[in-house]
Amino acid sequence: MEKKRLLYLVSSDPRVSPFDINMAYDAGFDAVIPYASIDVGMVPGLVQDIMFSRGAKGARFSSLFVSGSSVAVAEGMLRAARTTLFPPFLLGLMVDPKGGYTTAAALLARVAALCRSKGMGELGRLRILVAAGTGGVGKAAAALAARDGAAVTLTSRSRDSAEAAAREIASLFGATVEPRAAAGETDLASLAAKADVVLATGAAGAQLLSRATILSLKGPKVLADVNAVPPHGLEGVRPQDHGAEIASGLFVLGAMVVGELKFRIESSLLKDLLSAESPPVIDLQAARRRGLELEGS
Ligand SMILES: NC(=O)c1ccc[n+]([C@@H]2O[C@H](COP(=O)([O-])OP(=O)(O)OC[C@H]3O[C@@H](n4cnc5c(N)ncnc54)[C@H](OP(=O)(O)O)[C@@H]3O)[C@@H](O)[C@H]2O)c1
C-alpha cells in the first residue's frame, strides 16, 4: 500500500495559518499536521522523528513546510532542518514565512513584466521604493530586487525598524538596501517621487499613499499594492488593476492581480514537494524562479 503523503507545517506563531493548510490539501497532500509555537531548537528533534518513523523510502512521502511571521526564525528553522537531514532519510522542505516569499515572488514577476512592457527596462536597473517594507513581504521583495541589481530603498515609520530590516536582509539574503524612516505620507511621497517603482507592502488595511499624492507623481512609474484589505495601501488602485494607466505614465498593479500569481506559485511549489524525483529545498530563490516561469518572463 502506498504511504500517505504528509505535510508537517511548523510555525513560531501561536496559530498556524489556515491559508497554507488549505493550499496544501488542495495541492494533494493526504494530511497536513500543524505545529504552532515552535522554536528553532525544536526542529532537529521533530525532523528526526519524521525521518526515522517512516524509513528511508517513507521519508520521501513526508515534507516540512516552515511558515510563521518572523523571516529570521523561519530561515533558522530551514537551516536547522537541512543540517539534521542525511541520506537516505531525506524530506522535501519549503519555507514561506506568512506567505511572504511567494507573495514577493509574484509581486516582482508582475512588476518586472509591466516595467518591460511599458519600456522602462529591466527591474535590476531601476530605483525601487519598498514602502512599509519591514514585514515578510517587504523584506523578501526588497531582497530579491536588490539581488537583481536594483537600487532599493526600504521604509518604516521608525528609523530603527528600517535599519533592523536592512541588516536582516543583508545577513539572510546577502542583499543591500537603503533603510529610510518615513513617519507619514509626506516623507513617503518625497521618496516615491524619486523612485521608478513603488511597492506598497504595508499591513492589511493600512493606507500608505492617498490618491491625490499618487496623482501628483510624475511618470513613467509603476506602483503596485499587495494590501487587498480596504483601505488599500495605494488609494484608488483597485485590487483587479493590471497595468492600468491612472495618470500619464503612472501604471498600477492591484493586490488581487499579485494574489492570483502568488496562489499559482505556492500551489505549484507544493505540488513539487509531492512529486519531485528527489526531495526539493524550496526557498525564496525557488519561489522567485517559479514566479518568473509562470509569468512567462
Ligand atoms: N496580495 C497577496 O497575495 C498577499 C499575500 C500575502 C500578504 N499580503 C498582504 O501583504 C501585505 C504585507 O504583508 P506582511 O505580512 O509583510 O505585512 P505586515 O508584517 O503585517 O506589515 C508590514 C509593515 O506595515 C507597517 N504598518 C503597520 N501598520 C501600519 C500603518 N497603520 N500605517 C503604515 N504602516 C503600517 C509596519 O511597518 P513599520 O511598523 O516598520 O512602519 C509593518 O511592519 C499585507 O497587506 C498583507 O495583507 C498580500
Side-chain angles (χ1 to χ4, degrees), residues 19 98-100 103 132-138 155-158 161-162 182 200-208 225-229 254-256 258-260 262-263:
F19 191 103
K98 214 174 126 199
T103 305
T134 47
V137 176
T155 77
S156 162
R157 290 167 297 176
S158 115
S161 299
T201 58
Q207 182 178 303
L208 303 178
D225 193 2
V226 289
N227 166 17
V229 178
M256 299 306 286
V258 176
E260 186 274 331
K262 177 251 178 338
F263 180 88

PDB file of all heavy atoms in Angstrom, residues 19 98-100 103 132-138 155-158 161-162 182 200-208 225-229 254-256 258-260 262-263, ligand 1:
ATOM      1  N   PHE A  19      -4.441  29.433   5.694  1.00  0.00           N
ATOM      2  CA  PHE A  19      -4.132  29.662   4.271  1.00  0.00           C
ATOM      3  C   PHE A  19      -3.241  28.533   3.751  1.00  0.00           C
ATOM      4  O   PHE A  19      -3.542  27.886   2.739  1.00  0.00           O
ATOM      5  CB  PHE A  19      -3.434  31.025   4.120  1.00  0.00           C
ATOM      6  CG  PHE A  19      -3.309  31.485   2.695  1.00  0.00           C
ATOM      7  CD1 PHE A  19      -4.155  32.455   2.174  1.00  0.00           C
ATOM      8  CD2 PHE A  19      -2.351  30.939   1.840  1.00  0.00           C
ATOM      9  CE1 PHE A  19      -4.053  32.871   0.847  1.00  0.00           C
ATOM     10  CE2 PHE A  19      -2.237  31.339   0.516  1.00  0.00           C
ATOM     11  CZ  PHE A  19      -3.090  32.311   0.018  1.00  0.00           C
ATOM     12  N   LYS A  98       4.725  33.377   6.489  1.00  0.00           N
ATOM     13  CA  LYS A  98       3.440  34.109   6.371  1.00  0.00           C
ATOM     14  C   LYS A  98       3.140  34.450   4.905  1.00  0.00           C
ATOM     15  O   LYS A  98       2.642  35.524   4.587  1.00  0.00           O
ATOM     16  CB  LYS A  98       3.487  35.379   7.222  1.00  0.00           C
ATOM     17  CG  LYS A  98       2.152  35.772   7.849  1.00  0.00           C
ATOM     18  CD  LYS A  98       2.322  36.942   8.788  1.00  0.00           C
ATOM     19  CE  LYS A  98       1.396  38.112   8.482  1.00  0.00           C
ATOM     20  NZ  LYS A  98       1.847  39.365   9.072  1.00  0.00           N
ATOM     21  N   GLY A  99       3.522  33.547   4.011  1.00  0.00           N
ATOM     22  CA  GLY A  99       3.253  33.753   2.582  1.00  0.00           C
ATOM     23  C   GLY A  99       4.132  34.809   1.934  1.00  0.00           C
ATOM     24  O   GLY A  99       3.959  35.154   0.766  1.00  0.00           O
ATOM     25  N   GLY A 100       5.117  35.306   2.688  1.00  0.00           N
ATOM     26  CA  GLY A 100       5.892  36.449   2.203  1.00  0.00           C
ATOM     27  C   GLY A 100       6.743  36.158   0.969  1.00  0.00           C
ATOM     28  O   GLY A 100       6.879  37.017   0.089  1.00  0.00           O
ATOM     29  N   THR A 103       4.469  35.662  -2.139  1.00  0.00           N
ATOM     30  CA  THR A 103       3.860  36.956  -2.497  1.00  0.00           C
ATOM     31  C   THR A 103       4.900  37.878  -3.126  1.00  0.00           C
ATOM     32  O   THR A 103       4.640  38.523  -4.154  1.00  0.00           O
ATOM     33  CB  THR A 103       3.248  37.620  -1.250  1.00  0.00           C
ATOM     34  OG1 THR A 103       2.324  36.703  -0.645  1.00  0.00           O
ATOM     35  CG2 THR A 103       2.514  38.901  -1.609  1.00  0.00           C
ATOM     36  N   ALA A 132       6.809  50.703   3.607  1.00  0.00           N
ATOM     37  CA  ALA A 132       6.399  49.855   4.746  1.00  0.00           C
ATOM     38  C   ALA A 132       6.946  48.447   4.549  1.00  0.00           C
ATOM     39  O   ALA A 132       6.222  47.450   4.640  1.00  0.00           O
ATOM     40  CB  ALA A 132       4.887  49.855   4.928  1.00  0.00           C
ATOM     41  N   GLY A 133       8.241  48.390   4.296  1.00  0.00           N
ATOM     42  CA  GLY A 133       8.866  47.125   3.892  1.00  0.00           C
ATOM     43  C   GLY A 133       9.404  46.264   5.015  1.00  0.00           C
ATOM     44  O   GLY A 133      10.210  45.365   4.765  1.00  0.00           O
ATOM     45  N   THR A 134       8.961  46.482   6.256  1.00  0.00           N
ATOM     46  CA  THR A 134       9.544  45.741   7.378  1.00  0.00           C
ATOM     47  C   THR A 134       8.833  44.415   7.680  1.00  0.00           C
ATOM     48  O   THR A 134       9.250  43.681   8.567  1.00  0.00           O
ATOM     49  CB  THR A 134       9.542  46.616   8.653  1.00  0.00           C
ATOM     50  OG1 THR A 134       8.244  47.200   8.777  1.00  0.00           O
ATOM     51  CG2 THR A 134      10.580  47.711   8.578  1.00  0.00           C
ATOM     52  N   GLY A 135       7.768  44.099   6.945  1.00  0.00           N
ATOM     53  CA  GLY A 135       7.113  42.783   7.093  1.00  0.00           C
ATOM     54  C   GLY A 135       7.771  41.763   6.178  1.00  0.00           C
ATOM     55  O   GLY A 135       8.720  42.062   5.444  1.00  0.00           O
ATOM     56  N   GLY A 136       7.236  40.540   6.220  1.00  0.00           N
ATOM     57  CA  GLY A 136       7.832  39.459   5.423  1.00  0.00           C
ATOM     58  C   GLY A 136       7.791  39.720   3.926  1.00  0.00           C
ATOM     59  O   GLY A 136       8.755  39.447   3.206  1.00  0.00           O
ATOM     60  N   VAL A 137       6.682  40.267   3.441  1.00  0.00           N
ATOM     61  CA  VAL A 137       6.564  40.527   2.003  1.00  0.00           C
ATOM     62  C   VAL A 137       7.581  41.591   1.596  1.00  0.00           C
ATOM     63  O   VAL A 137       8.309  41.442   0.604  1.00  0.00           O
ATOM     64  CB  VAL A 137       5.130  40.986   1.641  1.00  0.00           C
ATOM     65  CG1 VAL A 137       5.046  41.340   0.159  1.00  0.00           C
ATOM     66  CG2 VAL A 137       4.106  39.914   1.989  1.00  0.00           C
ATOM     67  N   GLY A 138       7.639  42.666   2.356  1.00  0.00           N
ATOM     68  CA  GLY A 138       8.536  43.773   2.023  1.00  0.00           C
ATOM     69  C   GLY A 138      10.004  43.358   2.055  1.00  0.00           C
ATOM     70  O   GLY A 138      10.778  43.672   1.135  1.00  0.00           O
ATOM     71  N   THR A 155      11.338  51.433   3.547  1.00  0.00           N
ATOM     72  CA  THR A 155      10.917  52.355   4.595  1.00  0.00           C
ATOM     73  C   THR A 155      10.171  51.661   5.732  1.00  0.00           C
ATOM     74  O   THR A 155       9.604  50.575   5.573  1.00  0.00           O
ATOM     75  CB  THR A 155       9.972  53.464   4.050  1.00  0.00           C
ATOM     76  OG1 THR A 155       8.669  52.917   3.854  1.00  0.00           O
ATOM     77  CG2 THR A 155      10.482  54.077   2.773  1.00  0.00           C
ATOM     78  N   SER A 156      10.212  52.363   6.858  1.00  0.00           N
ATOM     79  CA  SER A 156       9.412  52.014   8.026  1.00  0.00           C
ATOM     80  C   SER A 156       8.986  53.332   8.649  1.00  0.00           C
ATOM     81  O   SER A 156       9.596  54.373   8.386  1.00  0.00           O
ATOM     82  CB  SER A 156      10.281  51.234   9.018  1.00  0.00           C
ATOM     83  OG  SER A 156       9.691  51.246  10.302  1.00  0.00           O
ATOM     84  N   ARG A 157       7.972  53.276   9.518  1.00  0.00           N
ATOM     85  CA  ARG A 157       7.635  54.507  10.243  1.00  0.00           C
ATOM     86  C   ARG A 157       8.729  54.836  11.246  1.00  0.00           C
ATOM     87  O   ARG A 157       8.819  55.962  11.719  1.00  0.00           O
ATOM     88  CB  ARG A 157       6.282  54.331  10.933  1.00  0.00           C
ATOM     89  CG  ARG A 157       5.116  54.290   9.952  1.00  0.00           C
ATOM     90  CD  ARG A 157       3.848  53.810  10.602  1.00  0.00           C
ATOM     91  NE  ARG A 157       3.986  52.427  11.073  1.00  0.00           N
ATOM     92  CZ  ARG A 157       3.068  51.765  11.739  1.00  0.00           C
ATOM     93  NH1 ARG A 157       1.927  52.344  12.036  1.00  0.00           N
ATOM     94  NH2 ARG A 157       3.278  50.517  12.132  1.00  0.00           N
ATOM     95  N   SER A 158       9.558  53.833  11.576  1.00  0.00           N
ATOM     96  CA  SER A 158      10.630  54.094  12.541  1.00  0.00           C
ATOM     97  C   SER A 158      11.998  53.807  11.916  1.00  0.00           C
ATOM     98  O   SER A 158      12.176  52.802  11.223  1.00  0.00           O
ATOM     99  CB  SER A 158      10.411  53.230  13.791  1.00  0.00           C
ATOM    100  OG  SER A 158      11.437  52.289  13.966  1.00  0.00           O
ATOM    101  N   SER A 161      13.504  50.443  12.980  1.00  0.00           N
ATOM    102  CA  SER A 161      12.936  49.254  12.310  1.00  0.00           C
ATOM    103  C   SER A 161      13.440  49.148  10.881  1.00  0.00           C
ATOM    104  O   SER A 161      13.714  48.039  10.393  1.00  0.00           O
ATOM    105  CB  SER A 161      11.411  49.311  12.296  1.00  0.00           C
ATOM    106  OG  SER A 161      10.924  49.337  13.594  1.00  0.00           O
ATOM    107  N   ALA A 162      13.559  50.283  10.203  1.00  0.00           N
ATOM    108  CA  ALA A 162      14.070  50.249   8.817  1.00  0.00           C
ATOM    109  C   ALA A 162      15.501  49.720   8.819  1.00  0.00           C
ATOM    110  O   ALA A 162      15.873  48.870   7.991  1.00  0.00           O
ATOM    111  CB  ALA A 162      14.006  51.638   8.196  1.00  0.00           C
ATOM    112  N   ALA A 182      10.075  56.817   7.211  1.00  0.00           N
ATOM    113  CA  ALA A 182       9.006  57.609   6.588  1.00  0.00           C
ATOM    114  C   ALA A 182       7.839  57.559   7.566  1.00  0.00           C
ATOM    115  O   ALA A 182       7.053  56.621   7.559  1.00  0.00           O
ATOM    116  CB  ALA A 182       8.623  57.038   5.225  1.00  0.00           C
ATOM    117  N   ALA A 200       3.955  48.920  -2.462  1.00  0.00           N
ATOM    118  CA  ALA A 200       3.291  49.188  -1.181  1.00  0.00           C
ATOM    119  C   ALA A 200       3.104  47.857  -0.471  1.00  0.00           C
ATOM    120  O   ALA A 200       2.285  47.034  -0.879  1.00  0.00           O
ATOM    121  CB  ALA A 200       1.953  49.866  -1.425  1.00  0.00           C
ATOM    122  N   THR A 201       3.907  47.638   0.574  1.00  0.00           N
ATOM    123  CA  THR A 201       3.903  46.327   1.250  1.00  0.00           C
ATOM    124  C   THR A 201       3.511  46.459   2.730  1.00  0.00           C
ATOM    125  O   THR A 201       3.978  45.710   3.576  1.00  0.00           O
ATOM    126  CB  THR A 201       5.287  45.633   1.121  1.00  0.00           C
ATOM    127  OG1 THR A 201       6.288  46.487   1.694  1.00  0.00           O
ATOM    128  CG2 THR A 201       5.637  45.353  -0.322  1.00  0.00           C
ATOM    129  N   GLY A 202       2.668  47.467   3.019  1.00  0.00           N
ATOM    130  CA  GLY A 202       2.243  47.688   4.405  1.00  0.00           C
ATOM    131  C   GLY A 202       1.207  46.679   4.863  1.00  0.00           C
ATOM    132  O   GLY A 202       0.675  45.884   4.081  1.00  0.00           O
ATOM    133  N   ALA A 203       0.922  46.755   6.157  1.00  0.00           N
ATOM    134  CA  ALA A 203      -0.017  45.809   6.792  1.00  0.00           C
ATOM    135  C   ALA A 203      -1.398  45.907   6.155  1.00  0.00           C
ATOM    136  O   ALA A 203      -1.770  46.944   5.587  1.00  0.00           O
ATOM    137  CB  ALA A 203      -0.109  46.117   8.277  1.00  0.00           C
ATOM    138  N   ALA A 204      -2.158  44.817   6.271  1.00  0.00           N
ATOM    139  CA  ALA A 204      -3.526  44.780   5.756  1.00  0.00           C
ATOM    140  C   ALA A 204      -4.324  45.948   6.327  1.00  0.00           C
ATOM    141  O   ALA A 204      -4.301  46.193   7.535  1.00  0.00           O
ATOM    142  CB  ALA A 204      -4.168  43.447   6.155  1.00  0.00           C
ATOM    143  N   GLY A 205      -5.008  46.677   5.452  1.00  0.00           N
ATOM    144  CA  GLY A 205      -5.877  47.764   5.890  1.00  0.00           C
ATOM    145  C   GLY A 205      -5.163  49.057   6.238  1.00  0.00           C
ATOM    146  O   GLY A 205      -5.787  49.968   6.781  1.00  0.00           O
ATOM    147  N   ALA A 206      -3.869  49.169   5.911  1.00  0.00           N
ATOM    148  CA  ALA A 206      -3.136  50.418   6.203  1.00  0.00           C
ATOM    149  C   ALA A 206      -2.894  51.184   4.896  1.00  0.00           C
ATOM    150  O   ALA A 206      -2.160  50.713   4.030  1.00  0.00           O
ATOM    151  CB  ALA A 206      -1.807  50.110   6.892  1.00  0.00           C
ATOM    152  N   GLN A 207      -3.533  52.349   4.773  1.00  0.00           N
ATOM    153  CA  GLN A 207      -3.302  53.166   3.567  1.00  0.00           C
ATOM    154  C   GLN A 207      -1.978  53.915   3.706  1.00  0.00           C
ATOM    155  O   GLN A 207      -1.703  54.532   4.731  1.00  0.00           O
ATOM    156  CB  GLN A 207      -4.435  54.181   3.383  1.00  0.00           C
ATOM    157  CG  GLN A 207      -4.243  55.014   2.127  1.00  0.00           C
ATOM    158  CD  GLN A 207      -5.383  56.002   1.897  1.00  0.00           C
ATOM    159  OE1 GLN A 207      -6.546  55.599   1.810  1.00  0.00           O
ATOM    160  NE2 GLN A 207      -5.053  57.274   1.823  1.00  0.00           N
ATOM    161  N   LEU A 208      -1.148  53.826   2.670  1.00  0.00           N
ATOM    162  CA  LEU A 208       0.172  54.470   2.716  1.00  0.00           C
ATOM    163  C   LEU A 208       0.189  55.767   1.924  1.00  0.00           C
ATOM    164  O   LEU A 208       0.786  56.753   2.351  1.00  0.00           O
ATOM    165  CB  LEU A 208       1.239  53.513   2.161  1.00  0.00           C
ATOM    166  CG  LEU A 208       1.354  52.151   2.863  1.00  0.00           C
ATOM    167  CD1 LEU A 208       2.409  51.282   2.174  1.00  0.00           C
ATOM    168  CD2 LEU A 208       1.675  52.307   4.337  1.00  0.00           C
ATOM    169  N   ASP A 225       0.433  47.417  -5.306  1.00  0.00           N
ATOM    170  CA  ASP A 225      -0.083  47.291  -3.933  1.00  0.00           C
ATOM    171  C   ASP A 225      -0.347  45.820  -3.633  1.00  0.00           C
ATOM    172  O   ASP A 225      -0.924  45.125  -4.470  1.00  0.00           O
ATOM    173  CB  ASP A 225      -1.400  48.083  -3.851  1.00  0.00           C
ATOM    174  CG  ASP A 225      -1.880  48.291  -2.427  1.00  0.00           C
ATOM    175  OD1 ASP A 225      -1.189  47.855  -1.484  1.00  0.00           O
ATOM    176  OD2 ASP A 225      -2.951  48.897  -2.256  1.00  0.00           O
ATOM    177  N   VAL A 226       0.066  45.352  -2.462  1.00  0.00           N
ATOM    178  CA  VAL A 226      -0.268  43.962  -2.099  1.00  0.00           C
ATOM    179  C   VAL A 226      -1.386  43.877  -1.066  1.00  0.00           C
ATOM    180  O   VAL A 226      -1.870  42.789  -0.754  1.00  0.00           O
ATOM    181  CB  VAL A 226       0.959  43.166  -1.564  1.00  0.00           C
ATOM    182  CG1 VAL A 226       1.935  42.853  -2.669  1.00  0.00           C
ATOM    183  CG2 VAL A 226       1.632  43.870  -0.414  1.00  0.00           C
ATOM    184  N   ASN A 227      -1.801  45.015  -0.561  1.00  0.00           N
ATOM    185  CA  ASN A 227      -2.804  45.023   0.502  1.00  0.00           C
ATOM    186  C   ASN A 227      -4.217  44.950  -0.086  1.00  0.00           C
ATOM    187  O   ASN A 227      -4.725  45.925  -0.633  1.00  0.00           O
ATOM    188  CB  ASN A 227      -2.604  46.301   1.338  1.00  0.00           C
ATOM    189  CG  ASN A 227      -3.780  46.599   2.251  1.00  0.00           C
ATOM    190  OD1 ASN A 227      -4.604  45.736   2.520  1.00  0.00           O
ATOM    191  ND2 ASN A 227      -3.848  47.836   2.717  1.00  0.00           N
ATOM    192  N   ALA A 228      -4.838  43.782   0.081  1.00  0.00           N
ATOM    193  CA  ALA A 228      -6.175  43.563  -0.508  1.00  0.00           C
ATOM    194  C   ALA A 228      -7.291  43.954   0.450  1.00  0.00           C
ATOM    195  O   ALA A 228      -8.468  43.860   0.108  1.00  0.00           O
ATOM    196  CB  ALA A 228      -6.317  42.089  -0.888  1.00  0.00           C
ATOM    197  N   VAL A 229      -6.925  44.389   1.665  1.00  0.00           N
ATOM    198  CA  VAL A 229      -7.945  44.681   2.680  1.00  0.00           C
ATOM    199  C   VAL A 229      -8.187  46.191   2.730  1.00  0.00           C
ATOM    200  O   VAL A 229      -7.271  46.960   3.035  1.00  0.00           O
ATOM    201  CB  VAL A 229      -7.461  44.195   4.072  1.00  0.00           C
ATOM    202  CG1 VAL A 229      -8.479  44.526   5.146  1.00  0.00           C
ATOM    203  CG2 VAL A 229      -7.174  42.702   4.039  1.00  0.00           C
ATOM    204  N   GLY A 254      -2.805  45.935  -8.835  1.00  0.00           N
ATOM    205  CA  GLY A 254      -3.555  45.783  -7.594  1.00  0.00           C
ATOM    206  C   GLY A 254      -3.292  44.456  -6.897  1.00  0.00           C
ATOM    207  O   GLY A 254      -2.704  43.527  -7.469  1.00  0.00           O
ATOM    208  N   ALA A 255      -3.790  44.372  -5.675  1.00  0.00           N
ATOM    209  CA  ALA A 255      -3.451  43.241  -4.805  1.00  0.00           C
ATOM    210  C   ALA A 255      -3.988  41.900  -5.307  1.00  0.00           C
ATOM    211  O   ALA A 255      -3.349  40.855  -5.121  1.00  0.00           O
ATOM    212  CB  ALA A 255      -3.976  43.509  -3.394  1.00  0.00           C
ATOM    213  N   MET A 256      -5.159  41.899  -5.944  1.00  0.00           N
ATOM    214  CA  MET A 256      -5.697  40.615  -6.406  1.00  0.00           C
ATOM    215  C   MET A 256      -4.887  40.074  -7.584  1.00  0.00           C
ATOM    216  O   MET A 256      -4.776  38.856  -7.757  1.00  0.00           O
ATOM    217  CB  MET A 256      -7.168  40.761  -6.841  1.00  0.00           C
ATOM    218  CG  MET A 256      -8.106  41.211  -5.751  1.00  0.00           C
ATOM    219  SD  MET A 256      -8.042  40.201  -4.270  1.00  0.00           S
ATOM    220  CE  MET A 256      -8.894  38.758  -4.817  1.00  0.00           C
ATOM    221  N   VAL A 258      -1.664  40.493  -7.965  1.00  0.00           N
ATOM    222  CA  VAL A 258      -0.483  39.878  -7.344  1.00  0.00           C
ATOM    223  C   VAL A 258      -0.899  38.550  -6.699  1.00  0.00           C
ATOM    224  O   VAL A 258      -0.232  37.517  -6.852  1.00  0.00           O
ATOM    225  CB  VAL A 258       0.138  40.819  -6.279  1.00  0.00           C
ATOM    226  CG1 VAL A 258       1.294  40.133  -5.567  1.00  0.00           C
ATOM    227  CG2 VAL A 258       0.583  42.128  -6.917  1.00  0.00           C
ATOM    228  N   GLY A 259      -2.048  38.584  -6.004  1.00  0.00           N
ATOM    229  CA  GLY A 259      -2.516  37.394  -5.287  1.00  0.00           C
ATOM    230  C   GLY A 259      -2.793  36.214  -6.211  1.00  0.00           C
ATOM    231  O   GLY A 259      -2.535  35.068  -5.848  1.00  0.00           O
ATOM    232  N   GLU A 260      -3.280  36.509  -7.396  1.00  0.00           N
ATOM    233  CA  GLU A 260      -3.589  35.411  -8.345  1.00  0.00           C
ATOM    234  C   GLU A 260      -2.311  34.653  -8.713  1.00  0.00           C
ATOM    235  O   GLU A 260      -2.286  33.420  -8.740  1.00  0.00           O
ATOM    236  CB  GLU A 260      -4.279  36.013  -9.582  1.00  0.00           C
ATOM    237  CG  GLU A 260      -4.781  35.007 -10.590  1.00  0.00           C
ATOM    238  CD  GLU A 260      -3.724  34.585 -11.598  1.00  0.00           C
ATOM    239  OE1 GLU A 260      -2.812  35.381 -11.919  1.00  0.00           O
ATOM    240  OE2 GLU A 260      -3.794  33.438 -12.046  1.00  0.00           O
ATOM    241  N   LYS A 262       0.530  34.739  -6.900  1.00  0.00           N
ATOM    242  CA  LYS A 262       1.064  34.155  -5.640  1.00  0.00           C
ATOM    243  C   LYS A 262       0.423  32.773  -5.403  1.00  0.00           C
ATOM    244  O   LYS A 262       1.099  31.805  -5.046  1.00  0.00           O
ATOM    245  CB  LYS A 262       0.753  35.095  -4.460  1.00  0.00           C
ATOM    246  CG  LYS A 262       1.185  34.554  -3.102  1.00  0.00           C
ATOM    247  CD  LYS A 262      -0.004  34.175  -2.275  1.00  0.00           C
ATOM    248  CE  LYS A 262       0.244  33.590  -0.926  1.00  0.00           C
ATOM    249  NZ  LYS A 262       1.389  32.980  -0.484  1.00  0.00           N
ATOM    250  N   PHE A 263      -0.871  32.700  -5.620  1.00  0.00           N
ATOM    251  CA  PHE A 263      -1.618  31.456  -5.426  1.00  0.00           C
ATOM    252  C   PHE A 263      -1.040  30.351  -6.328  1.00  0.00           C
ATOM    253  O   PHE A 263      -0.790  29.231  -5.901  1.00  0.00           O
ATOM    254  CB  PHE A 263      -3.090  31.722  -5.753  1.00  0.00           C
ATOM    255  CG  PHE A 263      -3.968  30.522  -5.595  1.00  0.00           C
ATOM    256  CD1 PHE A 263      -4.563  30.220  -4.380  1.00  0.00           C
ATOM    257  CD2 PHE A 263      -4.199  29.672  -6.674  1.00  0.00           C
ATOM    258  CE1 PHE A 263      -5.362  29.107  -4.238  1.00  0.00           C
ATOM    259  CE2 PHE A 263      -4.993  28.552  -6.541  1.00  0.00           C
ATOM    260  CZ  PHE A 263      -5.580  28.261  -5.316  1.00  0.00           C
TER     261      PHE A 263
HETATM  262  N1  LIG B   1      -1.829  40.024  -2.384  1.00  0.00           N
HETATM  263  C1  LIG B   1      -1.445  38.877  -1.813  1.00  0.00           C
HETATM  264  O1  LIG B   1      -1.461  37.817  -2.396  1.00  0.00           O
HETATM  265  C2  LIG B   1      -0.922  38.895  -0.421  1.00  0.00           C
HETATM  266  C3  LIG B   1      -0.409  37.740   0.181  1.00  0.00           C
HETATM  267  C4  LIG B   1       0.132  37.839   1.467  1.00  0.00           C
HETATM  268  C5  LIG B   1       0.101  39.047   2.112  1.00  0.00           C
HETATM  269  N2  LIG B   1      -0.483  40.122   1.505  1.00  0.00           N
HETATM  270  C6  LIG B   1      -0.510  41.443   2.100  1.00  0.00           C
HETATM  271  O2  LIG B   1       0.817  41.933   2.004  1.00  0.00           O
HETATM  272  C7  LIG B   1       0.964  42.975   2.952  1.00  0.00           C
HETATM  273  C8  LIG B   1       2.266  42.775   3.679  1.00  0.00           C
HETATM  274  O3  LIG B   1       2.220  41.572   4.452  1.00  0.00           O
HETATM  275  P1  LIG B   1       3.223  41.418   5.673  1.00  0.00           P
HETATM  276  O4  LIG B   1       2.866  40.177   6.375  1.00  0.00           O
HETATM  277  O5  LIG B   1       4.598  41.611   5.164  1.00  0.00           O
HETATM  278  O6  LIG B   1       2.761  42.731   6.482  1.00  0.00           O
HETATM  279  P2  LIG B   1       2.888  43.127   7.998  1.00  0.00           P
HETATM  280  O7  LIG B   1       4.085  42.490   8.574  1.00  0.00           O
HETATM  281  O8  LIG B   1       1.573  42.889   8.667  1.00  0.00           O
HETATM  282  O9  LIG B   1       3.062  44.711   7.866  1.00  0.00           O
HETATM  283  C9  LIG B   1       4.124  45.293   7.136  1.00  0.00           C
HETATM  284  C10 LIG B   1       4.502  46.609   7.750  1.00  0.00           C
HETATM  285  O10 LIG B   1       3.441  47.539   7.630  1.00  0.00           O
HETATM  286  C11 LIG B   1       3.715  48.605   8.539  1.00  0.00           C
HETATM  287  N3  LIG B   1       2.482  49.115   9.106  1.00  0.00           N
HETATM  288  C12 LIG B   1       1.669  48.506  10.002  1.00  0.00           C
HETATM  289  N4  LIG B   1       0.600  49.301  10.287  1.00  0.00           N
HETATM  290  C13 LIG B   1       0.771  50.441   9.564  1.00  0.00           C
HETATM  291  C14 LIG B   1       0.029  51.639   9.431  1.00  0.00           C
HETATM  292  N5  LIG B   1      -1.121  51.829  10.097  1.00  0.00           N
HETATM  293  N6  LIG B   1       0.487  52.601   8.612  1.00  0.00           N
HETATM  294  C15 LIG B   1       1.649  52.423   7.930  1.00  0.00           C
HETATM  295  N7  LIG B   1       2.404  51.308   8.010  1.00  0.00           N
HETATM  296  C16 LIG B   1       1.954  50.315   8.806  1.00  0.00           C
HETATM  297  C17 LIG B   1       4.640  48.039   9.624  1.00  0.00           C
HETATM  298  O11 LIG B   1       5.896  48.659   9.432  1.00  0.00           O
HETATM  299  P3  LIG B   1       6.581  49.674  10.495  1.00  0.00           P
HETATM  300  O12 LIG B   1       5.957  49.409  11.828  1.00  0.00           O
HETATM  301  O13 LIG B   1       8.016  49.291  10.399  1.00  0.00           O
HETATM  302  O14 LIG B   1       6.282  51.035   9.941  1.00  0.00           O
HETATM  303  C18 LIG B   1       4.741  46.583   9.243  1.00  0.00           C
HETATM  304  O15 LIG B   1       5.999  46.004   9.549  1.00  0.00           O
HETATM  305  C19 LIG B   1      -0.285  42.912   3.852  1.00  0.00           C
HETATM  306  O16 LIG B   1      -1.158  43.938   3.448  1.00  0.00           O
HETATM  307  C20 LIG B   1      -0.868  41.558   3.553  1.00  0.00           C
HETATM  308  O17 LIG B   1      -2.256  41.512   3.747  1.00  0.00           O
HETATM  309  C21 LIG B   1      -0.955  40.075   0.257  1.00  0.00           C
END
